[in-house]
Amino acid sequence: EITCSGPRISCIASRPLIGKTSFLISLALRVGILRSRKRIAFFSSSGMGEEIYKRMASYISGKDARSIGFNNKDASLLLRVSYNLGKSNIYIDDKSTITIDYIIDKLNDLKKKGNIDLLIIDDFSYIINAGKFRTRRKKILAIKEISKELNSPAIITAELSRRLLRRTSKIPKLDDIRGHFIVDLLDVILLIHREDYYHETTEPAGN
């Protein structure tokens, strides 16, 4: 199981817009609120503060998250969401750029109130090069060390290379992970694939 106890580093990888962040939000809500109320540190550059509110509201009400808005109509529902998140042990940091040292400092502050049961970093590529952590490998090794110190699992996300779009079969392979030389440092790898995505979605330009 991707959230099993003990130190390990898992990677969830896909093309853009397939659902990595949505998957992690759902996972955090299940683990941090709906089931065991584990302590979770969730770092995301995706500006997902609004999204996690909508998904929590969806869990509470059964409504489609896409139909929930920040307006008077859904005000009472969002108040219930705020109450539940306030009682949870989920720490959310959606700062646009972060460093390994920033993550370490935040975790040290959080550990003063108890151990962190799960560390989530979405998206790993947004951890900027700084200090002694200036390569992808060094940053992965640092996260592995953090996981060991916490004695808890860490989950990161990564994008798959655009080159898979040139193949007849769009089913991802390990070497589609950008900077795939880090694969040997990972304990668990989950490649997300949705066949309908390649028929319905026009991907953004770039890699």
Side-chain angles (χ1 to χ4, degrees):
E1 185 176 333
I2 199 166
T3 57
C4 68
S5 60
R8 66 169 54 200
I9 183 168
S10 302
C11 177
I12 300 173
S14 76
R15 286 298 300 156
L17 306 178
I18 283 205
K20 296 185 296 294
T21 299
S22 295
F23 175 85
L24 289 176
I25 290 172
S26 297
L27 177 66
L29 291 176
R30 289 199 305 272
V31 174
I33 297 179
L34 301 177
R35 291 185 181 176
S36 52
R37 290 189 175 274
K38 298 288 188 181
R39 299 192 76 230
I40 300 171
F42 196 138
F43 295 86
S44 176
S45 60
S46 304
M48 40 66 77
E50 179 176 321
E51 180 68 14
I52 200 166
Y53 263 80
K54 287 185 176 182
R55 290 197 168 271
M56 185 61 200
S58 177
Y59 274 113
I60 291 174
S61 65
K63 294 174 62 177
D64 188 323
R66 292 170 295 183
S67 69
I68 297 170
F70 287 81
N71 49 47
N72 291 335
K73 178 172 65 71
D74 293 318
S76 62
L77 176 57
L78 293 172
L79 282 174
R80 290 167 62 195
V81 172
S82 182
Y83 174 78
N84 277 275
L85 285 176
K87 291 186 66 178
S88 76
N89 290 313
I90 302 176
Y91 168 80
I92 302 169
D93 189 311
D94 59 357
K95 187 177 177 180
S96 59
T97 56
I98 59 176
T99 64
I100 291 292
D101 287 327
Y102 176 84
I103 292 171
I104 291 172
D105 288 343
K106 288 296 180 181
L107 291 176
N108 285 336
D109 288 339
L110 292 173
K111 284 192 295 183
K112 295 174 183 177
K113 298 181 180 179
N115 191 45
I116 304 301
D117 299 300
L118 176 63
L119 169 63
I120 298 175
I121 301 174
D122 173 43
D123 174 324
F124 173 77
S125 64
Y126 280 84
I127 301 177
I128 62 175
N129 298 333
K132 59 184 178 181
F133 308 108
R134 293 187 173 274
T135 67
R136 186 180 294 259
R137 177 170 287 271
K138 287 182 178 179
K139 287 184 285 188
I140 289 286
L141 288 171
I143 294 171
K144 284 180 74 74
E145 187 60 32
I146 291 170
S147 176
K148 289 179 182 178
E149 290 180 6
L150 295 174
N151 194 32
S152 300
I155 302 174
I156 63 174
T157 63
E159 276 193 13
L160 298 177
S161 171
R162 192 176 178 85
R163 65 187 176 191
L164 75 82
L165 301 178
R166 297 194 289 267
R167 298 199 302 258
T168 302
S169 172
K170 304 300 189 294
I171 297 174
K173 303 175 182 178
L174 283 182
D175 60 2
D176 291 323
I177 298 179
R178 288 179 176 174
H180 61 271
F181 55 86
I182 65 167
V183 166
D184 62 303
L185 301 178
L186 304 171
D187 298 301
V188 178
I189 300 172
L190 175 63
L191 304 179
I192 299 179
H193 173 70
R194 278 178 32 219
E195 189 66 33
D196 62 309
Y197 167 84
Y198 296 98
H199 301 293
E200 298 176 0
T201 303
T202 299
E203 286 214 343
N207 293 326

